[in-house]
Amino acid sequence: MMNSGPFTAEARHQNKSARTRARLMDAAVQVFARDGFEAASVNEIARMAEVANGTFYVHFKDKDAIAVEVAARIATDITDQIDRAMADIDDGLERFGFATRQFIEFASHQPQWGWVIIRAASFLPQMHRQMETHMCADLERGRRQGQITADIDAFLVDTIMSMVFAALAARLRGDAGPEAGSRVTELVLNMLNIPPQRAHAIAWQTIALKELHLPTRPRQERVSPPAEPVRLGPIQI
Amino acid sequence: MMNSGPFTAEARHQNKSARTRARLMDAAVQVFARDGFEAASVNEIARMAEVANGTFYVHFKDKDAIAVEVAARIATDITDQIDRAMADIDDGLERFGFATRQFIEFASHQPQWGWVIIRAASFLPQMHRQMETHMCADLERGRRQGQITADIDAFLVDTIMSMVFAALAARLRGDAGPEAGSRVTELVLNMLNIPPQRAHAIAWQTIALKELHLPTRPRQERVSPPAEPVRLGPIQI
DNA sequence: GCAATTATTGAGATATCTCCCATTTTTTCG
DNA sequence: CGAAAAAATGGGAGATATCTCAATAATTGC
């Protein structure tokens, strides 16, 4: 019923409970991606994981619990790895561009994760916020470096997030190709009034897209500090 | 159970069948807005409309059918009226700004409709496409008038739509005030490399926001032609 | 006012879901 | 190996959904 997924692979050498739990999480990803969160049923997740219905409840309180856990793991894995992959980039705008492109390309190589991210973003605020925090850190850096003059407030960040997610969705639907990340990066930089040439250069420079590993093997230590949270001011009129 | 809504009001002088149908549609709007499409149940819609469960099925095949009908009516009503309200504006960018601001302010004055629009957009492509078509017409006009130099393709339009919807969502959540429409308009115009001053002027000029009527009384004739569909080219790499 | 037509009703057949829990199977470890 | 602990099982009670249909009520036209 299922080609065992990344969580299962990670748990290969742990005890049985952990392995079953991992099976359930992989199954949940598949079902959430296929049916959406609301339409997904615990029965279907258990069936997909090839465990009995009751087993689910040994490991998770209910559907919400597994959704939160899956989404948190995915968000953490991706943001951590992107962070690590661009540890040596200093320029805030380049970091933004790299992260955006890496994120979209990665998520579209793992369409199930991609769909889960998109679907989860709308009703798991913690996941949304985590990604916002990371993005925000790079934008703030760009501002401190004098490249962005605009105020970076919640409305702006929210808008940029929606653009990145729209690009990812287009990529997942097949409406956009591998250029999606570059295109949306350039649009965002234009929006921030970065000089068009520079925006274009940043967005379209060839970069080494790392293959992200999912999930990170036995929880590695972070290489760079985890993106200092940025305090967003209230929206100004 | 329900303060009869706009569809009911419109159908006041029609026959009983039409009135019941309208009650169901108003109820559906409430339930969809409150619970979301997936979680909404036919039972709940019938209860809200204060009709028997079986009555629903006399009028609609199933939940999807009423969703499609409701969304289509809302989209048509809003786009038609915005079109009418700006019949005398020629400038493409000003039309875009006006429509965006009017749309967001209207939908946030009718939060139920606003939420339905947002929720419907993600899985009723026809609704999404209708709004895209209207928006696209104004942008194309701006391009023909020499104000936009960028290519207006599907990716760009999709991105702009996502920005407008994000602004609407922020407004509905209460995270943004009445300035949301102006802010997102300005961001879009910046993104299109309109000179910042002009972008600011267009986005923040005082405009007379009309109170939109919902739904249009006995189906009025259109004043202006219905926004010629714009053929979108394939996305270029 | 009365028959014909049209609309509504609500109980119920069927299905699916969630969640529990007594029982069985598997793993661990002295 | 064999007993204790841990994990998994799957049947089933109880909710809640969808959709149907024979019966009932309201409306219409003569």
Side-chain angles (χ1 to χ4, degrees), chain A residues 191, chain B residues 96 160 163 183-192:
Chain A
M191 186 172 87
Chain B
F96 170 78
I160 298 175
M163 295 169 72
R183 285 208 65 181
V184 74
T185 300
E186 185 171 7
L187 289 175
V188 171
L189 296 179
N190 283 337
M191 185 172 88
L192 295 172

Side-chain angles (χ1 to χ4, degrees), chain A residues 51-131:
Chain A
V51 300
N53 162 293
T55 305
F56 178 92
Y57 293 94
V58 174
H59 295 275
F60 299 97
K61 187 179 157 294
D62 55 20
K63 195 175 69 175
D64 278 2
I66 197 173
V68 167
E69 177 129 359
V70 162
R73 284 291 302 274
I74 292 180
T76 306
D77 282 349
I78 295 183
T79 51
D80 279 9
Q81 291 203 51
I82 290 180
D83 251 19
R84 231 193 317 279
M86 62 186 191
D88 58 337
I89 305 180
D90 179 59
D91 184 288
L93 298 185
E94 283 189 22
R95 286 178 68 88
F96 170 78
F98 182 91
T100 301
R101 293 167 68 181
Q102 181 80 264
F103 171 68
I104 290 176
E105 271 319 285
F106 167 70
S108 59
H109 274 70
Q110 299 290 333
Q112 276 132 356
W113 284 35
W115 283 118
V116 170
I117 290 168
I118 286 184
R119 305 193 120 121
S122 61
F123 72 101
L124 289 180
Q126 62 265 48
M127 180 175 177
H128 204 268
R129 214 166 301 130
Q130 173 167 12
M131 299 190 161

